[in-house]
Amino acid sequence: MPDPEVKIFDYDKIEIGEELGSYEYTLTQEMLDNFRASIDDPDAVFPTLAVKHDATAFAMVYDDQTGGVNAGNEVEFFNPPIPGKKILVTGRIADKYLRRDKPYMVIEATAIDEDGRLLEKLRTYQMKKPDEVGKKWHPQT
């Protein structure tokens, strides 16, 4: 059962600039080491801090019962994170638009450390699924 504070997602009602959830966590050396091992680069400077966290920020505010399809991501890296520092991730609705009569939404997540250093900005482009059961995105001819 969703949290009573969480709203049912309605594409037509979301507003550009709307703030989503935020949270913080401490980046550990183990997390950095695991990231480096997963990409087979022992010297990787920038682990991805906000990827998937944009979805977490969104889910803190909305119960999205229709879902969506990831249509793309853009990530900008600014400063390397420092293990042991707290990282604050915030999310917001950056844009929404129609393309070929399909609704799209852009979520932006930003990661800063406890010293206020900007670490990363992530933009996720998502095509929202139709909210009617059985409705097709691309009707067959």
Side-chain angles (χ1 to χ4, degrees):
M1 175 185 258
D3 182 330
E5 298 293 319
V6 175
K7 303 177 275 191
I8 300 296
F9 176 75
D10 182 338
Y11 179 84
D12 294 326
K13 292 181 181 176
I14 63 169
E15 295 183 21
I16 296 169
E18 179 180 347
E19 296 294 324
L20 299 173
S22 65
Y23 59 94
E24 60 183 40
Y25 66 96
T26 301
L27 178 71
T28 66
Q29 185 63 49
E30 180 183 11
M31 293 164 81
L32 185 57
D33 293 343
N34 288 342
F35 169 77
R36 288 172 171 166
S38 73
I39 63 167
D40 198 24
D41 182 352
D43 299 317
V45 177
F46 288 102
T48 308
L49 304 170
V51 168
K52 298 296 180 199
H53 296 306
D54 60 328
T56 301
F58 183 75
M60 292 173 81
V61 176
Y62 285 107
D63 177 11
D64 185 3
Q65 299 180 357
T66 59
V69 174
N70 185 353
N73 294 304
E74 295 175 357
V75 183
E76 293 178 88
F77 299 101
F78 297 92
N79 292 292
I82 299 169
K85 296 277 185 179
K86 285 185 184 173
I87 296 174
L88 173 66
V89 178
T90 58
R92 71 182 191 93
I93 304 293
D95 199 4
K96 73 176 192 176
Y97 54 90
L98 294 176
R99 179 173 289 157
R100 293 186 213 116
D101 296 323
K102 308 296 183 266
Y104 285 79
M105 177 178 69
V106 182
I107 300 173
E108 183 177 84
T110 302
I112 61 170
D113 71 12
E114 64 188 56
D115 297 327
R117 294 180 329 126
L118 177 60
L119 304 175
E120 176 181 306
K121 279 191 178 185
L122 164 76
R123 292 171 67 93
T124 298
Y125 298 81
Q126 189 177 87
M127 181 173 69
K128 300 311 294 174
K129 289 183 180 179
D131 55 2
E132 298 172 30
V133 175
K135 184 176 177 183
K136 302 223 184 259
W137 285 334
H138 300 288
Q140 302 294 321
T141 54

